[in-house]
Amino acid sequence: MNNNDAPFLKMKGIVKRFGALTAVDNVDLAVDRGEVLALVGENAAGKSTLIKVLTGVYQADQGEIFIEGDKVEINNRKDSQKFGIEAVYQDLALVPQLDVPGNLFLGKEPPKKILGGLFKVIDNKKLEEQTRDILKDNLNMEIENFNDPVINHSGGQQQSIAIGRALASECDLIVMDEPTASLGVEEIDMTFEIVRRLKQNNVAVIFISHNLEHVFEVCDKVLVMRMGERVGYMDIEDATRERLVSLMVHGRYEEEKSEKSVANKTV
Amino acid sequence: MDKSTQTSGSKDELHIFGRPWTYQVERLGPIAAVIIFGAVVGIIEPRFLSARNVINVLYQAATYIILAVGMTFVITGAGIDISIGSMLALTGILMVFTIEYTPIPPWLGIWVAPLSGMVLGLLNGLFITKLKVPDFIATIATMIGYRGVVLIMAGGVVHYRFPAAVRFLGAYRLFGLIPISILVAFAIGALGYYVYNNTYFGRYTAALGGNRESAILAGIEVDKYKILTYVFMGFLAGVAALVTIGRLDAFHATYGEFMEIDTIAAVIIGGTALFGGYGRVWGSVFGALLMSMVVNGAVLLGFPYFYQYVLVGIVILVAVSIYTFLGTRRTT
């Protein structure tokens, strides 16, 4: 546990509206270092919106965010980066035309001074070295032709590159939005491996997934959202597949009823 | 874990010097086209390759090369600048007025062209990013507006006989042989290449043109870099004004008309993606050169003047067809 009593991240009473639609309605969330929090819910439950509030892409209409107990303002992506928050987005957020180093370190390229410090340019040599290190040490990946545009690489590799991007910065919290959605079996195992390693390194992880198998595989706690509201929060030991599905679909869980509703709802 | 080690998905594609063959064709295509076209026309009409004619072709290409380098950045950032011809004329008349009607010495006055170009480019950028007017519409509006200001200022009068400082860039020749403007054009090409590959400006322009959303998520101030591409374009329009006015030792309010079309054509022939994401600075330089060669070659081969347009049109279609073919291969 942390020396500090407060968890690394605490979000309190977050509300986000888009016109008449309340996408996130008074949601609390907490995650500590070395902890993997699953964020589950059906489509349009507000998971991605909540995450975009955290990363500064959206601004909350109400609510507070605390980092290690201190109240902070996150108004844009730069702010969230400053607090060590990184995200791997569902649509990967890669630039298809840029090569692997260009994507891994986009926005964080190592600088080099030229003309006696007059101009700051990108240190491309160092960029490539750092890329090799990240690929080898963190992703256990060998990419040939990493100067090809990333669009030339396979879906799984693009996923790894997107995760690598989050790892490339020394971050304290990584949000993974559906990291396993478009992957093959081996690549999914690799993603779990990365999550476990992050946990060992005392990084906090928020893991968004539709796939409950994957949640049970790597997560410590589960937060369930439904139609913008938080409807459940529990340790993974207390969660069952039935309980989570019932919460996701109905927003409540009653022992007797659940059997039927689960039987009806799941394939 | 070891068994899940991955290798590149593009491994099976044929690579030449560590890059896919399609990339190499794209990169070397414009240079190859210049060489092949030069050789073919040179065999039919040897005068085409005479030193005098080669210098002449380069001389005429200089303005387009300078503009095309700037346009490469604008298009890479998923923009387009239709106003460059009007910017060339407006920066030109501002410089001419400064030199003719103020006590500012000519060697200082010539800087008015590139500096006012930056201001005009900044206006373009602000209209696009802050007023959210689409690039194409915004620069069509400023194309018309800037041209209007030129006509108001210059009327139908031809200004001519400028001091040496104005003529230097456009008319002077190194050792009495190689026009300074050619050297400047290629220096700007080299600078543009360096900027594209090594600066944050170059990288982030490609990023915002390739996937704007991703660039924002990576913390890149996309509006800032978008504006910078237009400022850089305006600066180079001012330099091109200096070269044009110096070469002709005259200024007329119609200068620069239709230059945007030829410049965009040169950039597209050079292999820059029209919808942004990646640019080929040297490609644009050779694209501009090829256009100049086609026009000059047509004259030497005795084509009537209007046929030049048809030939340039064919060159653009052939080039884009080749890139489309390569592009299709690349993504499937």
Side-chain angles (χ1 to χ4, degrees), chain B residues 5-60:
Chain B
T5 297
Q6 301 180 4
T7 51
S8 169
S10 57
K11 193 181 162 193
D12 45 339
E13 201 179 359
L14 175 66
H15 276 61
I16 303 167
F17 296 120
R19 296 292 182 97
W21 70 272
T22 50
Y23 169 89
Q24 298 292 11
V25 172
E26 256 179 27
R27 193 169 66 148
L28 301 175
I31 302 172
V34 163
I35 293 169
I36 293 167
F37 185 87
V40 170
V41 179
I43 289 166
I44 304 170
E45 176 51 82
R47 272 189 301 162
F48 184 69
L49 292 179
S50 68
R52 204 179 134 181
N53 194 56
V54 168
I55 287 177
N56 198 22
V57 167
L58 288 165
Y59 196 27
Q60 278 159 2

Short mmCIF file of all heavy atoms in Angstrom, two decimals, chain B residues 5-60:
data_model
loop_
_atom_site.label_atom_id
_atom_site.label_comp_id
_atom_site.label_asym_id
_atom_site.label_seq_id
_atom_site.Cartn_x
_atom_site.Cartn_y
_atom_site.Cartn_z
N THR B 5 6.35 -13.35 -28.82
CA THR B 5 7.16 -12.34 -29.51
C THR B 5 6.65 -12.16 -30.93
O THR B 5 6.40 -13.13 -31.64
CB THR B 5 8.63 -12.78 -29.55
OG1 THR B 5 9.10 -12.85 -28.22
CG2 THR B 5 9.47 -11.78 -30.32
N GLN B 6 6.49 -10.92 -31.31
CA GLN B 6 5.90 -10.65 -32.62
C GLN B 6 6.95 -10.14 -33.61
O GLN B 6 7.94 -9.59 -33.23
CB GLN B 6 4.82 -9.58 -32.49
CG GLN B 6 3.72 -9.97 -31.56
CD GLN B 6 2.67 -8.90 -31.47
OE1 GLN B 6 2.75 -7.90 -32.18
NE2 GLN B 6 1.71 -9.11 -30.63
N THR B 7 6.63 -10.36 -34.84
CA THR B 7 7.43 -9.71 -35.87
C THR B 7 6.52 -8.89 -36.75
O THR B 7 5.30 -9.00 -36.67
CB THR B 7 8.20 -10.74 -36.73
OG1 THR B 7 7.26 -11.69 -37.16
CG2 THR B 7 9.31 -11.38 -35.95
N SER B 8 7.15 -8.11 -37.59
CA SER B 8 6.38 -7.13 -38.34
C SER B 8 5.39 -7.76 -39.30
O SER B 8 5.67 -8.75 -39.95
CB SER B 8 7.33 -6.25 -39.13
OG SER B 8 6.61 -5.47 -40.05
N GLY B 9 4.22 -7.12 -39.38
CA GLY B 9 3.19 -7.58 -40.28
C GLY B 9 3.49 -7.24 -41.72
O GLY B 9 2.96 -7.84 -42.64
N SER B 10 4.37 -6.25 -41.94
CA SER B 10 4.65 -5.84 -43.31
C SER B 10 5.90 -6.52 -43.83
O SER B 10 6.46 -6.13 -44.84
CB SER B 10 4.81 -4.32 -43.38
OG SER B 10 5.85 -3.93 -42.51
N LYS B 11 6.33 -7.56 -43.11
CA LYS B 11 7.57 -8.23 -43.45
C LYS B 11 7.52 -8.86 -44.84
O LYS B 11 8.52 -8.90 -45.56
CB LYS B 11 7.80 -9.33 -42.41
CG LYS B 11 9.18 -9.93 -42.40
CD LYS B 11 9.19 -11.02 -41.32
CE LYS B 11 10.35 -11.97 -41.52
NZ LYS B 11 10.19 -13.16 -40.71
N ASP B 12 6.32 -9.37 -45.18
CA ASP B 12 6.22 -10.10 -46.44
C ASP B 12 6.31 -9.18 -47.66
O ASP B 12 6.57 -9.64 -48.76
CB ASP B 12 4.92 -10.90 -46.48
CG ASP B 12 3.73 -10.07 -46.02
OD1 ASP B 12 3.97 -9.07 -45.31
OD2 ASP B 12 2.59 -10.40 -46.37
N GLU B 13 6.09 -7.90 -47.44
CA GLU B 13 6.17 -6.98 -48.57
C GLU B 13 7.64 -6.79 -48.95
O GLU B 13 8.51 -6.75 -48.10
CB GLU B 13 5.56 -5.63 -48.17
CG GLU B 13 5.14 -4.81 -49.35
CD GLU B 13 4.52 -3.49 -48.90
OE1 GLU B 13 4.40 -3.26 -47.70
OE2 GLU B 13 4.16 -2.71 -49.79
N LEU B 14 7.89 -6.65 -50.26
CA LEU B 14 9.26 -6.50 -50.73
C LEU B 14 9.83 -5.17 -50.22
O LEU B 14 9.24 -4.11 -50.40
CB LEU B 14 9.29 -6.52 -52.27
CG LEU B 14 10.67 -6.26 -52.89
CD1 LEU B 14 11.65 -7.36 -52.56
CD2 LEU B 14 10.54 -6.07 -54.40
N HIS B 15 10.99 -5.25 -49.56
CA HIS B 15 11.63 -4.04 -49.06
C HIS B 15 12.91 -3.75 -49.82
O HIS B 15 13.71 -4.65 -50.09
CB HIS B 15 11.95 -4.18 -47.56
CG HIS B 15 10.77 -3.84 -46.70
ND1 HIS B 15 9.59 -4.53 -46.76
CD2 HIS B 15 10.58 -2.86 -45.77
CE1 HIS B 15 8.73 -4.01 -45.89
NE2 HIS B 15 9.30 -3.00 -45.29
N ILE B 16 13.10 -2.49 -50.18
CA ILE B 16 14.34 -2.06 -50.82
C ILE B 16 14.98 -1.01 -49.92
O ILE B 16 14.33 -0.04 -49.54
CB ILE B 16 14.04 -1.44 -52.21
CG1 ILE B 16 13.30 -2.45 -53.10
CG2 ILE B 16 15.32 -0.98 -52.88
CD1 ILE B 16 12.70 -1.87 -54.36
N PHE B 17 16.22 -1.24 -49.52
CA PHE B 17 16.92 -0.37 -48.58
C PHE B 17 16.08 -0.13 -47.33
O PHE B 17 15.94 1.00 -46.85
CB PHE B 17 17.28 0.98 -49.23
CG PHE B 17 18.25 0.84 -50.37
CD1 PHE B 17 17.91 1.26 -51.65
CD2 PHE B 17 19.50 0.29 -50.16
CE1 PHE B 17 18.79 1.12 -52.70
CE2 PHE B 17 20.41 0.16 -51.21
CZ PHE B 17 20.04 0.57 -52.48
N GLY B 18 15.49 -1.20 -46.81
CA GLY B 18 14.78 -1.11 -45.54
C GLY B 18 13.41 -0.45 -45.61
O GLY B 18 12.80 -0.21 -44.58
N ARG B 19 12.94 -0.13 -46.78
CA ARG B 19 11.60 0.46 -46.90
C ARG B 19 10.81 -0.31 -47.94
O ARG B 19 11.39 -0.88 -48.86
CB ARG B 19 11.70 1.93 -47.34
CG ARG B 19 12.40 2.84 -46.34
CD ARG B 19 11.57 2.97 -45.08
NE ARG B 19 12.20 3.88 -44.13
CZ ARG B 19 11.88 5.16 -44.01
NH1 ARG B 19 10.97 5.70 -44.78
NH2 ARG B 19 12.47 5.91 -43.11
N PRO B 20 9.47 -0.31 -47.83
CA PRO B 20 8.66 -1.02 -48.83
C PRO B 20 8.92 -0.45 -50.22
O PRO B 20 9.19 0.74 -50.36
CB PRO B 20 7.22 -0.73 -48.40
CG PRO B 20 7.29 -0.21 -47.02
CD PRO B 20 8.64 0.36 -46.83
N TRP B 21 8.81 -1.32 -51.22
CA TRP B 21 9.13 -0.86 -52.58
C TRP B 21 8.19 0.26 -53.03
O TRP B 21 8.58 1.16 -53.75
CB TRP B 21 9.12 -2.03 -53.57
CG TRP B 21 7.75 -2.61 -53.85
CD1 TRP B 21 7.13 -3.61 -53.16
CD2 TRP B 21 6.84 -2.23 -54.88
NE1 TRP B 21 5.90 -3.87 -53.68
CE2 TRP B 21 5.68 -3.04 -54.76
CE3 TRP B 21 6.88 -1.29 -55.92
CZ2 TRP B 21 4.59 -2.94 -55.60
CZ3 TRP B 21 5.78 -1.19 -56.76
CH2 TRP B 21 4.65 -2.00 -56.60
N THR B 22 6.93 0.20 -52.53
CA THR B 22 5.98 1.25 -52.91
C THR B 22 6.46 2.61 -52.41
O THR B 22 6.34 3.63 -53.09
CB THR B 22 4.60 0.96 -52.32
OG1 THR B 22 4.74 0.68 -50.94
CG2 THR B 22 3.93 -0.20 -53.00
N TYR B 23 7.03 2.59 -51.20
CA TYR B 23 7.56 3.83 -50.63
C TYR B 23 8.69 4.37 -51.50
O TYR B 23 8.79 5.56 -51.77
CB TYR B 23 8.05 3.55 -49.21
CG TYR B 23 8.86 4.66 -48.58
CD1 TYR B 23 8.23 5.67 -47.86
CD2 TYR B 23 10.25 4.70 -48.71
CE1 TYR B 23 8.96 6.69 -47.29
CE2 TYR B 23 10.99 5.72 -48.14
CZ TYR B 23 10.34 6.70 -47.43
OH TYR B 23 11.07 7.72 -46.86
N GLN B 24 9.57 3.45 -51.94
CA GLN B 24 10.71 3.90 -52.75
C GLN B 24 10.25 4.46 -54.08
O GLN B 24 10.80 5.46 -54.56
CB GLN B 24 11.69 2.73 -52.98
CG GLN B 24 12.31 2.17 -51.71
CD GLN B 24 13.26 3.14 -51.02
OE1 GLN B 24 13.33 4.31 -51.36
NE2 GLN B 24 13.99 2.65 -50.04
N VAL B 25 9.24 3.82 -54.68
CA VAL B 25 8.73 4.33 -55.96
C VAL B 25 8.15 5.72 -55.75
O VAL B 25 8.39 6.65 -56.52
CB VAL B 25 7.66 3.38 -56.56
CG1 VAL B 25 7.00 4.01 -57.78
CG2 VAL B 25 8.29 2.05 -56.93
N GLU B 26 7.39 5.87 -54.64
CA GLU B 26 6.81 7.17 -54.33
C GLU B 26 7.87 8.23 -54.15
O GLU B 26 7.76 9.35 -54.62
CB GLU B 26 6.03 7.06 -53.02
CG GLU B 26 4.54 7.01 -53.18
CD GLU B 26 3.87 6.88 -51.83
OE1 GLU B 26 4.43 7.32 -50.81
OE2 GLU B 26 2.79 6.31 -51.82
N ARG B 27 8.93 7.83 -53.43
CA ARG B 27 9.97 8.79 -53.08
C ARG B 27 10.82 9.16 -54.29
O ARG B 27 11.18 10.31 -54.47
CB ARG B 27 10.86 8.21 -51.98
CG ARG B 27 11.75 9.25 -51.36
CD ARG B 27 12.41 8.72 -50.11
NE ARG B 27 13.34 7.66 -50.46
CZ ARG B 27 14.46 7.43 -49.79
NH1 ARG B 27 14.78 8.17 -48.77
NH2 ARG B 27 15.26 6.46 -50.14
N LEU B 28 11.15 8.14 -55.09
CA LEU B 28 12.07 8.39 -56.21
C LEU B 28 11.34 8.68 -57.51
O LEU B 28 11.96 9.11 -58.47
CB LEU B 28 13.01 7.17 -56.38
CG LEU B 28 13.84 6.86 -55.14
CD1 LEU B 28 14.65 5.58 -55.34
CD2 LEU B 28 14.79 8.01 -54.81
N GLY B 29 10.04 8.45 -57.52
CA GLY B 29 9.25 8.65 -58.74
C GLY B 29 9.44 10.01 -59.38
O GLY B 29 9.77 10.10 -60.57
N PRO B 30 9.26 11.10 -58.62
CA PRO B 30 9.38 12.42 -59.23
C PRO B 30 10.78 12.68 -59.81
O PRO B 30 10.91 13.27 -60.89
CB PRO B 30 9.10 13.38 -58.06
CG PRO B 30 8.29 12.58 -57.10
CD PRO B 30 8.80 11.17 -57.23
N ILE B 31 11.83 12.20 -59.13
CA ILE B 31 13.19 12.39 -59.63
C ILE B 31 13.37 11.59 -60.92
O ILE B 31 13.89 12.08 -61.93
CB ILE B 31 14.24 11.93 -58.59
CG1 ILE B 31 14.04 12.71 -57.30
CG2 ILE B 31 15.65 12.11 -59.13
CD1 ILE B 31 14.88 12.21 -56.14
N ALA B 32 12.87 10.35 -60.88
CA ALA B 32 12.96 9.49 -62.06
C ALA B 32 12.21 10.13 -63.23
O ALA B 32 12.70 10.13 -64.37
CB ALA B 32 12.39 8.11 -61.75
N ALA B 33 11.04 10.70 -62.95
CA ALA B 33 10.25 11.32 -64.01
C ALA B 33 11.01 12.49 -64.63
O ALA B 33 11.04 12.65 -65.86
CB ALA B 33 8.90 11.81 -63.46
N VAL B 34 11.68 13.28 -63.80
CA VAL B 34 12.48 14.41 -64.30
C VAL B 34 13.60 13.90 -65.21
O VAL B 34 13.81 14.42 -66.30
CB VAL B 34 13.06 15.23 -63.11
CG1 VAL B 34 14.20 16.14 -63.58
CG2 VAL B 34 11.96 16.06 -62.46
N ILE B 35 14.29 12.85 -64.76
CA ILE B 35 15.41 12.31 -65.54
C ILE B 35 14.91 11.71 -66.85
O ILE B 35 15.45 11.98 -67.94
CB ILE B 35 16.19 11.26 -64.72
CG1 ILE B 35 16.88 11.96 -63.54
CG2 ILE B 35 17.22 10.54 -65.60
CD1 ILE B 35 17.46 11.01 -62.51
N ILE B 36 13.86 10.89 -66.77
CA ILE B 36 13.37 10.22 -67.98
C ILE B 36 12.80 11.25 -68.96
O ILE B 36 13.12 11.21 -70.16
CB ILE B 36 12.28 9.17 -67.61
CG1 ILE B 36 12.93 8.02 -66.82
CG2 ILE B 36 11.60 8.62 -68.87
CD1 ILE B 36 11.94 7.10 -66.14
N PHE B 37 12.01 12.16 -68.45
CA PHE B 37 11.44 13.18 -69.34
C PHE B 37 12.55 14.00 -70.00
O PHE B 37 12.54 14.24 -71.21
CB PHE B 37 10.50 14.11 -68.56
CG PHE B 37 9.79 15.11 -69.42
CD1 PHE B 37 8.59 14.79 -70.05
CD2 PHE B 37 10.31 16.39 -69.62
CE1 PHE B 37 7.94 15.71 -70.85
CE2 PHE B 37 9.67 17.31 -70.43
CZ PHE B 37 8.48 16.97 -71.05
N GLY B 38 13.56 14.38 -69.17
CA GLY B 38 14.69 15.14 -69.70
C GLY B 38 15.42 14.38 -70.79
O GLY B 38 15.76 14.93 -71.84
N ALA B 39 15.64 13.07 -70.57
CA ALA B 39 16.37 12.25 -71.53
C ALA B 39 15.58 12.11 -72.84
O ALA B 39 16.13 12.28 -73.93
CB ALA B 39 16.65 10.88 -70.93
N VAL B 40 14.29 11.82 -72.71
CA VAL B 40 13.48 11.60 -73.90
C VAL B 40 13.40 12.86 -74.75
O VAL B 40 13.68 12.85 -75.96
CB VAL B 40 12.05 11.11 -73.51
CG1 VAL B 40 11.13 11.11 -74.73
CG2 VAL B 40 12.13 9.72 -72.89
N VAL B 41 13.05 13.97 -74.10
CA VAL B 41 12.94 15.22 -74.86
C VAL B 41 14.32 15.63 -75.40
O VAL B 41 14.44 16.13 -76.52
CB VAL B 41 12.32 16.35 -74.00
CG1 VAL B 41 12.25 17.66 -74.79
CG2 VAL B 41 10.93 15.95 -73.53
N GLY B 42 15.37 15.37 -74.59
CA GLY B 42 16.73 15.72 -75.00
C GLY B 42 17.18 14.96 -76.24
O GLY B 42 17.94 15.48 -77.06
N ILE B 43 16.72 13.71 -76.37
CA ILE B 43 17.09 12.93 -77.56
C ILE B 43 16.39 13.49 -78.79
O ILE B 43 16.99 13.65 -79.86
CB ILE B 43 16.74 11.43 -77.36
CG1 ILE B 43 17.70 10.82 -76.33
CG2 ILE B 43 16.82 10.66 -78.67
CD1 ILE B 43 17.26 9.47 -75.78
N ILE B 44 15.11 13.83 -78.63
CA ILE B 44 14.35 14.36 -79.76
C ILE B 44 14.85 15.76 -80.13
O ILE B 44 14.99 16.10 -81.29
CB ILE B 44 12.84 14.41 -79.43
CG1 ILE B 44 12.34 13.01 -79.03
CG2 ILE B 44 12.04 14.95 -80.62
CD1 ILE B 44 10.93 13.00 -78.47
N GLU B 45 15.10 16.54 -79.12
CA GLU B 45 15.48 17.93 -79.35
C GLU B 45 16.68 18.27 -78.46
O GLU B 45 16.50 18.67 -77.30
CB GLU B 45 14.28 18.85 -79.04
CG GLU B 45 14.57 20.33 -79.15
CD GLU B 45 15.21 20.73 -80.45
OE1 GLU B 45 14.50 20.90 -81.45
OE2 GLU B 45 16.46 20.88 -80.46
N PRO B 46 17.93 18.10 -78.96
CA PRO B 46 19.13 18.27 -78.13
C PRO B 46 19.23 19.66 -77.47
O PRO B 46 19.82 19.77 -76.40
CB PRO B 46 20.27 18.07 -79.12
CG PRO B 46 19.68 17.26 -80.23
CD PRO B 46 18.25 17.67 -80.33
N ARG B 47 18.64 20.65 -78.05
CA ARG B 47 18.69 21.98 -77.43
C ARG B 47 18.11 21.98 -76.02
O ARG B 47 18.45 22.82 -75.20
CB ARG B 47 17.89 22.98 -78.30
CG ARG B 47 18.68 23.63 -79.40
CD ARG B 47 17.83 24.74 -80.01
NE ARG B 47 16.58 24.20 -80.53
CZ ARG B 47 15.49 24.94 -80.80
NH1 ARG B 47 15.52 26.25 -80.60
NH2 ARG B 47 14.40 24.39 -81.26
N PHE B 48 17.20 21.02 -75.76
CA PHE B 48 16.53 20.95 -74.46
C PHE B 48 17.54 20.79 -73.32
O PHE B 48 17.35 21.31 -72.22
CB PHE B 48 15.53 19.79 -74.45
CG PHE B 48 14.72 19.69 -73.19
CD1 PHE B 48 13.74 20.64 -72.89
CD2 PHE B 48 14.92 18.65 -72.29
CE1 PHE B 48 13.00 20.55 -71.72
CE2 PHE B 48 14.18 18.56 -71.13
CZ PHE B 48 13.22 19.51 -70.83
N LEU B 49 18.63 20.05 -73.61
CA LEU B 49 19.60 19.79 -72.55
C LEU B 49 20.82 20.72 -72.62
O LEU B 49 21.80 20.50 -71.91
CB LEU B 49 20.06 18.32 -72.59
CG LEU B 49 18.98 17.30 -72.21
CD1 LEU B 49 19.52 15.87 -72.31
CD2 LEU B 49 18.43 17.56 -70.82
N SER B 50 20.76 21.73 -73.45
CA SER B 50 21.87 22.68 -73.48
C SER B 50 21.92 23.40 -72.14
O SER B 50 20.90 23.60 -71.48
CB SER B 50 21.65 23.70 -74.61
OG SER B 50 20.56 24.53 -74.32
N ALA B 51 23.15 23.79 -71.73
CA ALA B 51 23.31 24.42 -70.42
C ALA B 51 22.39 25.62 -70.28
O ALA B 51 21.76 25.84 -69.24
CB ALA B 51 24.77 24.87 -70.23
N ARG B 52 22.28 26.38 -71.37
CA ARG B 52 21.48 27.58 -71.32
C ARG B 52 20.00 27.26 -71.05
O ARG B 52 19.34 27.91 -70.25
CB ARG B 52 21.61 28.31 -72.67
CG ARG B 52 21.31 29.78 -72.52
CD ARG B 52 21.48 30.46 -73.84
NE ARG B 52 20.33 31.34 -74.03
CZ ARG B 52 20.15 32.08 -75.11
NH1 ARG B 52 20.99 32.02 -76.11
NH2 ARG B 52 19.12 32.86 -75.18
N ASN B 53 19.52 26.22 -71.74
CA ASN B 53 18.11 25.87 -71.56
C ASN B 53 17.84 25.25 -70.19
O ASN B 53 16.81 25.52 -69.57
CB ASN B 53 17.64 24.93 -72.67
CG ASN B 53 16.12 24.84 -72.70
OD1 ASN B 53 15.44 25.85 -72.82
ND2 ASN B 53 15.60 23.63 -72.50
N VAL B 54 18.81 24.45 -69.71
CA VAL B 54 18.63 23.84 -68.39
C VAL B 54 18.50 24.93 -67.33
O VAL B 54 17.62 24.90 -66.47
CB VAL B 54 19.80 22.89 -68.07
CG1 VAL B 54 19.79 22.49 -66.59
CG2 VAL B 54 19.73 21.64 -68.95
N ILE B 55 19.41 25.92 -67.43
CA ILE B 55 19.36 27.03 -66.48
C ILE B 55 18.04 27.79 -66.62
O ILE B 55 17.41 28.18 -65.63
CB ILE B 55 20.58 27.95 -66.65
CG1 ILE B 55 21.81 27.22 -66.10
CG2 ILE B 55 20.37 29.29 -65.95
CD1 ILE B 55 23.11 27.98 -66.25
N ASN B 56 17.61 27.94 -67.85
CA ASN B 56 16.36 28.63 -68.12
C ASN B 56 15.17 27.92 -67.46
O ASN B 56 14.31 28.53 -66.82
CB ASN B 56 16.16 28.72 -69.63
CG ASN B 56 15.14 29.78 -69.99
OD1 ASN B 56 14.89 30.68 -69.19
ND2 ASN B 56 14.55 29.67 -71.16
N VAL B 57 15.14 26.60 -67.59
CA VAL B 57 14.07 25.81 -67.00
C VAL B 57 14.08 25.96 -65.47
O VAL B 57 13.04 26.19 -64.84
CB VAL B 57 14.21 24.31 -67.38
CG1 VAL B 57 13.29 23.44 -66.53
CG2 VAL B 57 13.90 24.12 -68.85
N LEU B 58 15.27 25.84 -64.90
CA LEU B 58 15.40 25.98 -63.44
C LEU B 58 14.97 27.37 -62.98
O LEU B 58 14.29 27.53 -61.96
CB LEU B 58 16.86 25.73 -63.02
CG LEU B 58 17.35 24.30 -63.10
CD1 LEU B 58 18.87 24.25 -63.02
CD2 LEU B 58 16.75 23.47 -61.98
N TYR B 59 15.36 28.34 -63.77
CA TYR B 59 15.05 29.72 -63.47
C TYR B 59 13.54 29.93 -63.39
O TYR B 59 13.01 30.55 -62.47
CB TYR B 59 15.65 30.57 -64.60
CG TYR B 59 15.80 32.05 -64.32
CD1 TYR B 59 15.96 32.54 -63.04
CD2 TYR B 59 15.79 32.96 -65.38
CE1 TYR B 59 16.13 33.89 -62.81
CE2 TYR B 59 15.95 34.32 -65.17
CZ TYR B 59 16.11 34.78 -63.87
OH TYR B 59 16.26 36.11 -63.66
N GLN B 60 12.84 29.36 -64.39
CA GLN B 60 11.38 29.50 -64.40
C GLN B 60 10.72 28.68 -63.29
O GLN B 60 9.65 29.03 -62.81
CB GLN B 60 10.82 29.09 -65.76
CG GLN B 60 10.94 30.22 -66.76
CD GLN B 60 10.89 29.75 -68.19
OE1 GLN B 60 10.73 28.56 -68.46
NE2 GLN B 60 11.03 30.68 -69.11
#
